[in-house]
Amino acid sequence: MGVASYDVETAPEKGYYVDETGAVPGESFGIGTGFFARLQRLAGKLSIEERGIERIPETERTDTNLRKVGTVWLAANMVVSSFAIGALAYPVFQLGFVDACLTILFINLLAITPVCYFSTFGPRFGLRQMVLSRFYFGFQGVKIVAFFNILACVGWSSVNVIVGAQLLHAVNADLPGFAGIIVIAAATLIVTTFGYKVVHYYEGWSWIPCFIIFLIVLGEFAHSENFSNLPMGSGPTEAGAVLSFSSAVFGFGTGWTSLAADYSVYQPVNVSRTKVFFWTWIGLIFPLLFTEMLGAAIQTASANNAFFAESYKKDHIGGLLAAVLVPPLGRFGQFCLVVLALSIIANNCPNMYSVGLSLQLMAEWTHRVPRFVWTFAGTLAYCAIAIPGYSHFETVLENFMLLIAYWLAIYEGIALSEHFFFRKGMNGYAPETYMDAKKLPPGIAAVTAFCFGVFGAVMGMAQVWFIGPIGKRIGNPKFGGDVGFPLAFAFAAISYTALRTIEYRHFRR
């Protein structure tokens, strides 16, 4: 790149300078005399990241440590929330250990592939994932997926913090659920307020104690001989249960897709895309398989052991882990539970960091509000949801997981179709146009295809409150089998490809 040329005339209005590539140099934040400009200057003095959705100049993409690309996902998934996904296999879906593990293995391999692929876009373009989505949904249409991403970030954080609060309650029955929620949320807010570098630093180390404690859990459970090798089912009922459990597993694993590029965006533009892909892959697949399979294994004890069953009924995931750790280890077991509860911080950091970026996309005035202000607002929102929802963990988690799987499958169907069929790969993007609505796709095809995807999801879903006509034909007619996410993907991808062809011929963009 040459010397950047700044649009000085528009700087006071926007609060920053923009160079010829559409990038915003870091030193330009805080320009102006308004309240938010003064707030940005204060943030700079406190070493808080000032940047939001603005494109990062190539000269500032200097984070050459590829290990961070892996550890941010390793820490975010080496947590009790992913353990809880595996633990749903028996009580919710009536699956045995082997069929649960096979589902976890193959569905996670599928679920994380889009996350790994979109992670390679960050270094190449210097844009966040939701900003990149303007090249698929258009300047206005992207607000729909940004809204869903906000719901996802806030909702996931609510579900996760409930799990952490249950663990703390299992250690100290006198600690009310709302207190545990506030403690975890406050710690997460501190990390995410400071931004990209601090998030990566925290995630780079926080997975280690959690991994050690999960190994202790594995060792103690194996020594207890409480594992029950529940037999694998067969027939239509088993097929329906596997498909419904697959939706939960898929929803958790692929849930990071809408944030993927956010955590590689400061990598150099010439970094190997293959290395970024595989560092992300390793950071995702190992903790997901390990924790979810461990959860499935330990939950089998509740089938034939009254103590485990009662512990889970009383304190859910916290009670289940307490049943493994506290009887043999006493206070050290309780200490392990506290550490696992605090692992939720690592799980929620990506959500709360990225929710501010999505909120900045919603309108011109929301863009002016600094990212860290929106992070604070998002924290208040998920606490407000989690505190009253504390006592309804299983139902909230299952339904929310399925909802996330649906919208992300639609997003992936549209984004991947645009990338491969219309842009023909990385060279088909003009990243400097990310703020120019007249040079971005109109978004009509994407929004319409999104609606088709919703229709596909409804046709295939199988939930307590509704079973779609296709989902009802799979498995036991009373419960059905959830095929909402593959149908959502297929309906969205096929309709988008057809509609986008027409749209491009008419608008030529």
Side-chain angles (χ1 to χ4, degrees):
M1 288 181 63
V3 178
S5 59
Y6 301 140
D7 185 353
V8 180
E9 292 185 2
T10 62
E13 178 183 349
K14 292 187 176 182
Y16 49 76
Y17 294 128
V18 182
D19 71 14
E20 74 279 0
T21 69
V24 179
E27 65 270 16
S28 72
F29 288 100
I31 293 175
T33 58
F35 171 75
F36 289 129
R38 295 196 298 272
L39 196 60
Q40 288 280 41
R41 289 195 290 272
L42 176 61
K45 293 178 182 178
L46 297 175
S47 298
I48 294 173
E49 182 187 16
E50 300 159 84
R51 185 180 301 279
I53 61 173
E54 302 80 20
R55 190 182 185 205
I56 301 170
E58 290 185 19
T59 54
E60 294 183 28
R61 290 177 237 164
T62 57
D63 185 0
T64 58
N65 188 347
L66 272 170
R67 184 182 72 91
K68 292 181 181 179
V69 177
T71 55
V72 69
W73 302 119
L74 177 59
N77 293 282
M78 186 65 73
V79 293
V80 70
S81 297
S82 51
F83 174 92
I85 299 301
L88 291 174
Y90 171 69
V92 175
F93 303 103
Q94 298 297 302
L95 296 179
F97 178 67
V98 175
D99 41 350
C101 285
L102 289 173
T103 303
I104 289 167
L105 171 61
F106 290 111
I107 295 301
N108 272 312
L109 289 172
L110 174 66
I112 68 172
T113 300
V115 188
C116 301
Y117 190 69
F118 283 118
S119 290
T120 67
F121 286 49
R124 179 67 179 268
F125 301 123
L127 293 171
R128 316 290 186 151
Q129 188 65 42
M130 282 293 102
V131 181
L132 281 166
S133 301
R134 284 177 170 170
F135 293 97
Y136 317 133
F137 289 84
F139 193 85
Q140 298 298 334
V142 76
K143 295 176 183 180
I144 296 174
V145 291
F147 175 74
F148 274 92
N149 196 44
I150 292 163
L151 292 181
C153 291
V154 173
W156 271 114
S157 297
S158 302
V159 172
N160 295 339
V161 79
I162 287 172
V163 176
Q166 288 170 352
L167 275 169
L168 294 175
H169 182 73
V171 173
N172 182 359
D174 294 328
L175 182 70
F178 75 86
I181 289 170
I182 292 172
V183 168
I184 296 170
T188 306
L189 177 62
I190 292 171
V191 176
T192 52
T193 294
F194 281 92
Y196 183 94
K197 291 183 179 179
V198 176
V199 168
H200 269 286
Y201 182 81
Y202 180 82
E203 305 282 74
W205 299 101
S206 65
W207 66 272
I208 297 174
C210 296
F211 179 51
I212 293 171
I213 291 172
F214 276 127
L215 289 176
I216 294 172
V217 170
L218 175 61
E220 288 297 333
F221 183 68
H223 185 262
S224 72
E225 300 182 351
N226 283 311
F227 173 75
S228 296
N229 189 13
L230 303 177
M232 182 186 298
S234 60
T237 301
E238 170 73 2
V242 167
L243 286 169
S244 295
F245 182 52
S246 295
S247 282
V249 174
F250 181 85
F252 191 89
T254 209
W256 304 114
T257 300
S258 57
L259 322 178
D262 297 358
Y263 300 95
S264 59
V265 75
Y266 281 94
Q267 291 284 321
V269 67
N270 60 351
V271 70
S272 167
R273 293 182 61 214
T274 302
K275 289 181 179 179
V276 172
F277 183 98
F278 280 106
W279 270 105
T280 306
W281 189 85
I282 292 168
L284 285 165
I285 198 66
F286 171 63
L288 286 172
L289 295 185
F290 175 65
T291 55
E292 289 177 10
M293 290 182 180
L294 181 61
I298 292 177
Q299 187 65 277
T300 64
S302 64
N304 299 308
N305 186 303
F307 175 65
F308 276 79
E310 183 61 30
S311 297
Y312 181 71
K313 181 179 180 181
K314 180 182 177 183
D315 287 314
H316 301 280
I317 292 301
L320 192 66
L321 286 165
V324 177
L325 292 172
V326 176
L329 299 177
R331 290 190 176 277
F332 179 70
Q334 293 178 329
F335 170 76
C336 291
L337 289 177
V338 172
V339 174
L340 287 180
L342 296 179
S343 74
I344 298 300
I345 299 170
N347 197 199
N348 278 355
C349 276
N351 292 325
M352 282 299 102
Y353 176 77
S354 293
V355 74
L357 304 173
S358 292
L359 281 160
Q360 285 191 323
L361 274 174
M362 297 303 293
E364 185 176 346
W365 73 268
T366 62
H367 185 184
R368 295 195 194 102
V369 180
R371 173 204 57 82
F372 50 86
V373 174
W374 286 126
T375 296
F376 178 72
T379 300
L380 294 180
Y382 83 77
C383 286
I385 294 171
I387 291 173
Y390 174 79
S391 59
H392 304 287
F393 166 70
E394 274 189 14
T395 302
V396 171
L397 179 59
E398 181 190 359
N399 291 340
F400 191 76
M401 292 291 294
L402 293 171
L403 178 63
I404 296 306
Y406 298 150
W407 95 265
L408 280 166
I410 297 168
Y411 174 82
E412 290 164 359
I414 293 171
L416 293 173
S417 297
E418 171 72 21
H419 177 72
F420 288 110
F421 298 144
F422 297 98
R423 298 195 179 269
K424 311 293 185 183
M426 292 291 194
N427 293 330
Y429 293 81
E432 66 276 6
T433 65
Y434 77 101
M435 290 291 289
D436 190 345
K438 294 181 180 179
K439 294 182 180 179
L440 293 167
I444 300 170
V447 172
T448 306
F450 194 94
C451 295
F452 275 104
V454 172
F455 176 73
V458 172
M459 293 291 287
M461 69 169 58
Q463 296 200 40
V464 174
W465 38 270
F466 181 79
I467 302 177
I470 297 177
K472 189 177 294 185
R473 292 179 176 272
I474 302 171
N476 187 326
K478 183 179 178 181
F479 303 106
D482 199 301
V483 290
F485 75 84
L487 286 181
F489 181 93
F491 276 53
I494 294 171
S495 62
Y496 180 76
T497 302
L499 293 167
R500 179 69 170 127
T501 301
I502 299 170
E503 181 183 71
Y504 184 77
R505 286 175 181 172
H506 182 76
F507 291 99
R508 307 304 299 176
R509 55 187 171 97

